[in-house]
Amino acid sequence: MQIEGRNYRTVWEENKRLFIINQNDLPFKFSIIELKNISEIIAAIKEMKVRGAPAIGATAALAYAITVEKSPELEATIYSALLAARPTAVDLHNSLKIVQTAFLINHNPLQALTAARDFVERSVAECQAIGKYGEALLKNGSRILTHCNAGALATVDYGTALAPIRFAHSNGKKVFVYVDETRPRLQGARLTAWELAEEGIPHAIIADNAAGYFLRKGDIDLVITGADRIACNGDTANKIGTYTKAVLAHENGVPFYIAAPWSTFDRNLANGSLIPIEERDSLEVLSINGIKLTSGKSPAFNPAFDVTPIRYITGFITPAGIISRKEFARIWEMNI
Amino acid sequence: MQIEGRNYRTVWEENKRLFIINQNDLPFKFSIIELKNISEIIAAIKEMKVRGAPAIGATAALAYAITVEKSPELEATIYSALLAARPTAVDLHNSLKIVQTAFLINHNPLQALTAARDFVERSVAECQAIGKYGEALLKNGSRILTHCNAGALATVDYGTALAPIRFAHSNGKKVFVYVDETRPRLQGARLTAWELAEEGIPHAIIADNAAGYFLRKGDIDLVITGADRIACNGDTANKIGTYTKAVLAHENGVPFYIAAPWSTFDRNLANGSLIPIEERDSLEVLSINGIKLTSGKSPAFNPAFDVTPIRYITGFITPAGIISRKEFARIWEMNI
């Protein structure tokens, strides 16, 4: 992604050192940090300095390869610790499985590093393909609603839900993006709006409560979000509030698409009810930037994800093209 | 309402002086302010120091009577200025019409004051009746979702949506309230949670995005909200996000009730599409409690209300009892 005229990725490895854009500083400060050891890596994932299912997958793959090279005797511990960092996104499982398999062949960390680098490049290429195929859904004048951040910052680069929008914009189509602010952590207001502003793509932030109003008014032509885990039957876990937007889109006859790379598909879970839902600290709801919003006498519940049943999903924008709900089973026949 | 062991109303008149609880200071500070002239009154309504359709209606009625007594020659100006303070809640129109009619009979401000005092007492009695009738919907163990604040603070006292909950609690029923935080202005997190905490009623704040998750999970038995204007066919305007909760409740087979006093019904509008929707300052979306959330490069849209079509509404909790959707037309035959 272009930031102040320079190209960046969300996460990258350089001479076996791991770097990320610190997303908790955005949009006020653009800062790059090096994650120097497994504790810093785990903390960065848990605290969401790096977040977004594909970005977490890439970070974990690189982290595994780099740290296992330094301490091969701790391989099992490193693997488990990374796997446990966040429960909902399956990309973490899928990417770790790939790099661990590469390592275990000859107990050679360099093979894990090669596999991790491959995973990262494939992830970038898949997001580009999602952009290319997804662009077909966007006309000149299209108005798109998106939830949370499924942009370059949620992936290694380009994004999932935002990739088709980036492609349409750079091909000269005039599009407009309604950005759900996405409480409690405001990934829409903080990250998606920042990415769109950097790219010069017209957009407006709305309260999560307002999406239904604009859908009913006919101001939104389609909804695109990312995903954290897509089960065998197509039920899809994504940021809390996604289910709500899907129901509202369905009720108003507006198409609802999920954009995701192959690492987000989970052939091992029969349906969405089996996807583990992370519960995060209630302070995320009760405060912002450390400043309390309430008097402290009220508790809060903070589920971080919800599951959208496939019946509300019009189709999936994949690296191999757009797959409609009815064709969903075909996804498992593809080479993934 | 009981606050630290003392009884308060949201708005009241004492020797022709007008007082309100300043809701913009809550929940951190409980402060009472006197509104000394028409400019202060209009500003307090626009800035939402006093808010909630029935509370705005009561404030306007008292404000009209007090200020017209001081400056009867400005009656028309006072009337228009109050009427224009906020566009969506019809209580403002209905209460002003009552006090103006009383004034115009003999051009006697004291008759307006008597009418205003009557309006206020009737409003309190109606909220009590809503509480009494609405309690029948709540069992021991009921879990209720509410949106925004339709509590004592939104009325003169008792509240609309919260009145049945107050009654159930004081009659010993164990109830639990899911409180939508209600971005952008957080009336749920700031006001509803504060009221429930003061009353000792068990509750938890949730992000607006999480309501769908809990409805789908079967954790919510019914939804009750207030209203800002109910059209002739039953379509109901209320705080932005209400439509979303109604659609989600409908989709999950959970009953959805609107609680409102007679002043919120508007027999002059055929349906909800005719209700004017207030657009408020985009800064309300771009900040939380005055803290900026974005870098300033992104605009925001901020519709303050939405309209819920009657097909999503199970029934109305009125001062004359619970009226189901199918019986809605009966409301206009009642003595209102």
Side-chain angles (χ1 to χ4, degrees), chain A residues 262 267 318 320-321 323 327 329-336:
Chain A
W262 297 127
R267 60 167 75 232
T318 79
I323 311 292
E327 304 170 295
R330 273 186 51 211
I331 283 192
W332 306 114
E333 296 158 19
M334 292 174 180
N335 186 20
I336 65 174

Side-chain angles (χ1 to χ4, degrees), chain A residues 265-284:
Chain A
F265 288 82
D266 184 357
R267 60 167 75 232
N268 298 315
L269 286 190
N271 62 61
S273 71
L274 303 166
I275 300 175
I277 299 296
E278 179 181 8
E279 290 267 347
R280 293 185 60 87
D281 194 324
S282 64
L283 277 179
E284 292 185 349

Side-chain angles (χ1 to χ4, degrees), chain A residues 181 183 203 251 298-299 312, chain B residues 181 183 203 205 251 298 312:
Chain A
E181 65 172 1
R183 279 281 288 156
H203 65 284
E251 193 71 11
S298 299
Y312 300 112
Chain B
E181 65 172 0
R183 279 280 289 155
H203 65 284
I205 299 167
E251 193 71 11
S298 298
Y312 299 112

Side-chain angles (χ1 to χ4, degrees), chain B residues 211-331:
Chain B
Y213 171 83
F214 289 108
L215 280 161
R216 182 157 180 264
K217 208 160 157 255
D219 287 355
I220 292 168
D221 300 303
L222 79 166
V223 186
I224 313 179
T225 76
D228 285 81
R229 191 188 297 233
I230 301 165
C232 215
N233 72 339
D235 292 351
T236 297
N238 192 45
K239 181 53 54 198
I240 190 77
T242 303
Y243 162 68
T244 292
K245 314 305 159 177
V247 168
L248 289 165
H250 185 260
E251 193 71 11
N252 288 284
V254 173
F256 179 93
Y257 287 92
I258 295 288
W262 297 127
S263 60
T264 308
F265 289 81
D266 184 357
R267 61 167 74 234
N268 298 315
L269 286 190
N271 62 63
S273 71
L274 302 166
I275 300 176
I277 299 296
E278 179 180 9
E279 291 268 345
R280 293 185 60 87
D281 195 324
S282 64
L283 278 178
E284 293 184 349
V285 175
L286 298 172
S287 61
I288 283 190
N289 285 358
I291 304 157
K292 266 177 49 175
L293 303 176
T294 73
S295 54
K297 291 179 189 163
S298 298
F301 296 148
N302 187 18
F305 300 91
D306 58 27
V307 172
T308 300
I310 186 167
R311 69 176 176 279
Y312 299 112
I313 300 169
T314 308
F316 295 78
I317 312 172
T318 79
I322 296 165
I323 311 292
S324 74
R325 175 176 57 243
K326 284 184 182 164
E327 304 169 296
F328 182 78
R330 273 186 52 211
I331 284 193

Side-chain angles (χ1 to χ4, degrees), chain A residues 271-323:
Chain A
N271 62 61
S273 71
L274 303 166
I275 300 175
I277 299 296
E278 179 181 8
E279 290 267 347
R280 293 185 60 87
D281 194 324
S282 64
L283 277 179
E284 292 185 349
V285 175
L286 297 173
S287 64
I288 181 158
N289 292 346
I291 295 162
K292 276 174 32 173
L293 303 177
T294 73
S295 57
K297 291 179 190 163
S298 299
F301 296 147
N302 188 18
F305 300 92
D306 58 27
V307 172
T308 300
I310 186 167
R311 68 177 177 278
Y312 300 112
I313 300 169
T314 308
F316 294 79
I317 312 173
T318 79
I322 296 165
I323 311 292

Side-chain angles (χ1 to χ4, degrees), chain A residues 180-228:
Chain A
D180 270 346
E181 65 172 1
T182 317
R183 279 281 288 156
R185 290 188 64 106
L186 298 167
Q187 293 93 331
R190 291 196 302 108
L191 307 178
T192 299
W194 179 79
E195 279 195 42
L196 294 172
E198 287 289 322
E199 301 273 342
I201 300 173
H203 65 284
I205 300 166
I206 57 172
D208 300 296
N209 280 321
Y213 171 83
F214 290 107
L215 280 162
R216 182 158 179 262
K217 208 160 157 254
D219 286 356
I220 291 168
D221 300 304
L222 78 167
V223 186
I224 313 179
T225 77
D228 285 81

